[in-house]
């Protein structure tokens, strides 16, 4: 079960969720622009596919049909809620 404060970095592997909010202010302008180009926005479905073994590394996630690697601070800026499935 996802708490209201869950972030993408807290999802279990292969867990689907819906993007609740993105803390755009915590991201660099280039990072925010890239996320928007990938289609990251409120209500979008996302799935955590893989995270680095020792933590602190990137996470891989699926957004639509794309697989995207995100740095830990970027994943932490994406708050998620339980998927509507």
């Amino acid at each position: 079960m996802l708490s209201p404060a869950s972030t993408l970095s807290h999802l279990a592997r292969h867990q689907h969720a819906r993007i609740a909010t993105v803390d755009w202010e915590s991201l660099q302008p280039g990072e925010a622009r890239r996320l928007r180009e990938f289609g990251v926005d409120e209500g979008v479905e996302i799935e955590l596919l893989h995270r680095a073994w020792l933590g602190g590394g990137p996470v891989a996630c699926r957004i639509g049909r794309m697989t995207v690697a995100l740095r830990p601070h970027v994943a932490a800026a994406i708050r998620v809620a339980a998927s509507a499935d």
Side-chain angles (χ1 to χ4, degrees):
M1 185 73 166
L2 295 174
S3 74
S6 291
T7 64
L8 176 59
S9 55
H10 289 107
L11 285 181
R13 283 186 65 203
H14 303 292
Q15 183 176 6
H16 293 260
R18 179 183 49 78
I19 298 174
T21 62
V22 179
D23 183 5
W24 299 111
E25 299 300 317
S26 70
L27 302 172
Q28 296 294 319
E31 294 169 331
R33 183 182 66 249
R34 202 165 16 265
L35 284 182
R36 287 186 177 105
E37 289 170 354
F38 291 149
V40 172
D41 204 356
E42 292 179 14
V44 171
E45 294 290 322
I46 195 163
E47 175 189 5
L48 184 91
L49 298 174
H50 184 74
R51 69 170 44 88
W53 262 97
L54 299 176
V59 298
C61 62
R62 180 171 291 131
I63 304 166
R65 292 185 290 161
M66 290 187 300
T67 299
V68 180
L70 301 174
R71 293 180 174 147
H73 74 277
V74 174
I78 300 173
R79 298 220 179 275
V80 295
S83 183
D85 300 314

